[in-house]
Amino acid sequence: MSEAGSLIRSLSGRLAARNFHSYVINDIGVGIVSGRFPIGSILPNDAAMMSEYGVSRTVLREALKTLEAKGLVEARPKVGTRVLPRNRWNLFDAQVLSWHFEAEPDRHFIASLFDTRLALELRAADLAARHRNSDHIRLLKYWAHQMEMSFDAVEPFALAELEFHRTIAEASANPFLRSIGGMVELAVTLTIAADAGADHGRSRRVAAYEAHHRLALAIEASDPDAACNEISGIIRSALAAALPGPPAA
């Protein structure tokens, strides 16, 4: 399982330590998502992969079982391990989403990601405004303040933004909405990666903080309409930063 914030931290090269098992999973996962192992193809046999990765059969088999559980591959007797179609992949899995970032997702994937994020976070903001408690408000204001303190530090800003949205999901009291952290993290990472070196990057982060501050106040005021309006603007602005140029088809 990917730790929350690990994808954002990878932007600065601070990767979590990986054992042989996780290394094999990640390398094959990125290979599948990027097309190095094409859909419908059969992965190399156990002997070849054990030699390539320098791991035992047990480590390799456990890695392939993990990939099978995520819907990327399917093992069949006398056939081998086949790469499954994209419609079988679990795109709500944080690790699968992180592999898409490493494989540089196309415009349609990014637009679809933000479209789904908008639908789910609109509901999360609405519910958060109805069910939040004092601890949620304290955390929202804390993370908004951390964003305000990090206009010139991309990674801390992005981590604070992620935690802000995770707090909204928690405040929604909906266990399914609490499970969208991987999707939100990928969206935040794409946005931050796109504007990290841009001239307007700092001004975008300032505007993002201001919108998050207003969102925290709307949730504190138990105003679902205002909360939904603010989060809609936040996500649409983030999409514009992550996907500059003509709208996706």
Side-chain angles (χ1 to χ4, degrees), residues 9 33 37 120 129 144 166 173-174 181 240:
R9 293 187 184 92
V33 173
F37 297 120
L120 294 175
R166 279 161 52 88
N174 183 320

Side-chain angles (χ1 to χ4, degrees), residues 6 16 26 45 91 114 156 186 190 197 213 235 241:
S6 60
N26 278 279
N45 62 37
L91 292 181
F114 276 85
L186 176 57
L190 288 167
H213 177 67
I235 294 173

Side-chain angles (χ1 to χ4, degrees), residues 20-40:
F20 286 120
H21 177 256
S22 62
Y23 172 75
V24 174
I25 293 171
N26 278 279
D27 190 75
I28 298 175
V30 172
I32 291 172
V33 173
S34 68
R36 178 159 54 92
F37 297 120
I39 290 172

Side-chain angles (χ1 to χ4, degrees), residues 95-168:
Q95 201 168 24
V96 175
L97 289 170
S98 73
W99 295 335
H100 279 81
F101 179 77
E102 292 186 53
E104 300 183 359
D106 59 28
R107 294 178 63 86
H108 177 71
F109 180 88
I110 295 173
S112 298
L113 169 71
F114 276 85
D115 184 51
T116 305
R117 179 192 178 191
L118 178 61
L120 294 175
E121 287 212 90
L122 276 172
R123 183 58 176 160
D126 180 278
L127 290 174
R130 300 174 191 274
H131 301 301
R132 93 292 182 280
N133 59 36
S134 59
D135 285 339
H136 296 136
I137 299 304
R138 177 181 57 79
L139 284 171
L140 287 174
K141 289 184 175 181
Y142 171 79
W143 290 118
H145 179 66
Q146 293 304 303
M147 292 172 68
E148 184 182 19
M149 296 294 100
S150 306
F151 292 147
D152 296 309
V154 172
E155 183 183 298
F157 184 94
L159 289 170
E161 183 176 0
L162 172 62
E163 291 302 329
F164 185 102
H165 287 271
R166 279 161 52 88
T167 301
I168 291 175

